[in-house]
Amino acid sequence: MSVNSKDLLMKMKEEAFVYDTSIGKALNKKHDEDKQYVLKILDLLHLNFDRVKYVEDLSSSNIGRGKWAVMISAKFAMMDKRIPIPQVPFHIKIDGHNELSMNAKSAYFMLIGFFQELDDEIYVFLNFKNNDYRNEFKALVKEAIEK
C-alpha cells in the first residue's frame, strides 16, 4: 500500500475520532462542532500542503522554538500502546506554546490567519489507528528526516 503524502490528510478525515464515541459525546457537548472543525482543519492543511511538514512529535527539540504545529489523532490511536488512554483527537501549538484549552473552531480561524499572514511551515503529526496508514506516515517522516 502506498498513499500520497498529501492524501494522508484526506485519509485522516475517514477515521473515527473520540468525538464519535458515547464517552466523547457525553464529555463534550460541542462534539459535533468540534469534529466538523477538525475536518475543516484537515481540508485547510490539504489546500496549503506545500507548507505542511510531517513530524513524529510536537516537541520543541523536534520542530524548533516558536513554531506552529497540529496533531490530529484517530479514535483510540495511542502514542504509547502501554498506556491505555486514547489521545485527544486534536491539539495545536501556536508560536511554540501548547494551547491545551483551545477548541478546534478557534484553532481553525487562527490557522486561516497563519496561512494568510505568515510564510512559515506548519508541523503536522497525524496519529492513525489504522496500522497501514500509521506505517505510511512513519515512512514519510523517516524519509523527511533523512533528507
Side-chain angles (χ1 to χ4, degrees):
M1 179 188 130
S2 183
V3 178
N4 176 311
S5 58
K6 187 175 181 181
D7 290 340
L8 273 177
L9 293 165
M10 296 299 98
K11 291 297 179 188
M12 182 57 78
K13 285 182 69 170
E14 298 169 9
E15 296 286 321
F17 296 95
V18 171
Y19 305 129
D20 298 321
T21 67
S22 56
I23 293 172
K25 290 176 181 179
L27 295 176
N28 182 357
K29 299 300 179 202
K30 293 187 175 186
H31 57 86
D32 285 328
E33 179 182 75
D34 283 347
K35 180 178 178 181
Q36 291 311 308
Y37 277 97
V38 166
L39 298 177
K40 286 182 176 197
I41 288 169
L42 286 164
D43 287 336
L44 189 62
L45 293 170
H46 190 264
L47 285 171
N48 294 280
F49 190 74
D50 58 316
R51 294 172 57 193
V52 166
K53 184 171 182 185
Y54 287 140
V55 291
E56 58 188 340
D57 69 65
L58 304 184
S59 65
S60 295
S61 61
N62 190 29
I63 67 172
R65 298 192 182 277
K67 301 296 182 178
W68 288 57
V70 174
M71 178 184 80
I72 298 174
S73 295
K75 180 173 80 173
F76 305 129
M78 289 175 251
M79 301 282 287
D80 185 343
K81 290 188 177 188
R82 296 170 294 172
I83 303 169
I85 300 171
Q87 288 292 319
V88 295
F90 172 76
H91 177 77
I92 188 166
K93 197 169 192 175
I94 298 171
D95 285 333
H97 301 287
N98 289 306
E99 300 294 336
L100 300 174
S101 62
M102 183 173 290
N103 65 25
K105 181 179 181 179
S106 298
Y108 172 73
F109 291 115
M110 289 194 79
L111 287 171
I112 289 172
F114 169 85
F115 286 118
Q116 289 177 348
E117 299 296 324
L118 301 173
D119 293 327
D120 294 348
E121 290 179 314
I122 186 159
Y123 295 88
V124 175
F125 175 57
L126 299 178
N127 192 14
F128 286 95
K129 181 181 179 188
N130 177 302
N131 279 333
D132 291 336
Y133 296 142
R134 183 186 287 241
N135 291 335
E136 286 285 331
F137 183 78
K138 285 181 183 180
L140 287 169
V141 171
K142 183 179 178 187
E143 181 181 307
I145 291 171
E146 291 174 354
K147 286 184 180 180

